Amino acid sequence: MEDRLVDWLRADDLRLEALHLASELGLNDWCLAAGFVRNLVWDRLHGFRQSTPLDDIDLVYFGSHNPTSDRDRALEAQLKARSTLPWSVKNQARMHLRNNDPAYSNTAEAMSYWVEIETAIGARLSADGRHIEFVAPFGLAPLFAGTLTPNPKRPGRDAFMARVEGKSWLSKWPRLVLRT
């Protein structure tokens, strides 16, 4: 699975450009996550010839030294000055406050609280820029299984179903199997 996903990312010029641009920020513990990886896999599993357009590119990182939204906006501005991609930057060091969770210690732990487990996968370039690495607290298998699964760390089904319906995932990717 990992080798196949690396091949798919390397074959996607937009995603490869985004990985390089994000890596140039020099952030600690970062990845491009959520739809960046999820949509690519679901598109390939459905045999789509064209990638589903990305509403945004989620750059998540963990920086406890300056966990302000001002810092995130400044990083977004840097990225938007260099590309027209739809960047969204979020420091996971403060997201526990928004989500009423215990404080996170790193990006992977923060992602382990996301609403559905198939979205909690991110990709980044290695420090030398030659390899693609993954941050996947639930592993890659759930995403490749073509399922939509609520995260057991998120009690209640309402937020999960709101995301499934609001994002029209079952219409865009009709072979997905909802697991509740």
Side-chain angles (χ1 to χ4, degrees):
M1 280 183 272
E2 187 170 323
D3 290 342
R4 186 168 17 159
L5 185 50
V6 167
D7 290 343
W8 290 348
L9 285 164
R10 289 197 182 283
D12 187 308
D13 291 340
L14 179 140
R15 283 178 169 85
L16 201 53
E17 174 191 356
L19 284 166
H20 283 285
L21 288 167
S23 73
E24 291 169 5
L25 293 175
L27 298 170
N28 291 323
D29 194 12
W30 69 275
C31 64
L32 300 182
F36 184 82
V37 176
R38 180 198 63 223
N39 292 8
L40 175 64
V41 171
W42 287 349
D43 285 348
R44 294 296 179 112
L45 293 177
H46 280 74
F48 295 171
R49 292 177 189 234
Q50 295 284 327
S51 292
T52 301
L54 293 168
D55 295 329
D56 57 18
I57 295 179
D58 293 297
L59 169 56
V60 296
Y61 70 102
F62 195 89
S64 57
H65 63 282
N66 186 6
T68 67
S69 58
D70 288 342
R71 171 82 171 131
D72 293 349
R73 283 192 294 275
L75 291 167
E76 271 181 30
Q78 285 181 43
L79 291 165
K80 289 177 180 179
R82 301 187 59 216
S83 79
T84 60
L85 298 174
W87 295 99
S88 174
V89 177
K90 297 284 184 293
N91 186 345
Q92 301 302 291
R94 71 168 191 285
M95 290 295 107
H96 69 285
L97 298 171
R98 182 184 78 177
N99 299 328
N100 295 314
D101 293 331
Y104 310 136
S105 59
N106 56 48
T107 297
E109 184 180 17
M111 291 168 65
S112 79
Y113 282 87
W114 289 4
V115 177
E116 61 285 332
I117 64 172
E118 291 82 3
T119 295
I121 297 176
R124 65 179 167 220
L125 293 180
S126 60
D128 65 9
R130 294 181 13 201
H131 305 285
I132 295 175
E133 304 171 339
F134 297 103
V135 178
F138 301 105
L140 298 178
L143 181 60
F144 276 84
T147 56
L148 270 168
T149 311
N151 186 340
K153 288 184 178 181
R154 288 274 161 247
R157 186 179 134 106
D158 293 344
F160 172 74
M161 288 309 298
R163 283 180 52 82
V164 169
E165 292 166 9
K167 293 184 176 280
S168 303
W169 287 331
L170 296 174
S171 296
K172 291 178 187 173
W173 297 283
R175 290 190 214 143
L176 295 177
V177 175
L178 192 61
R179 297 180 61 188
T180 56

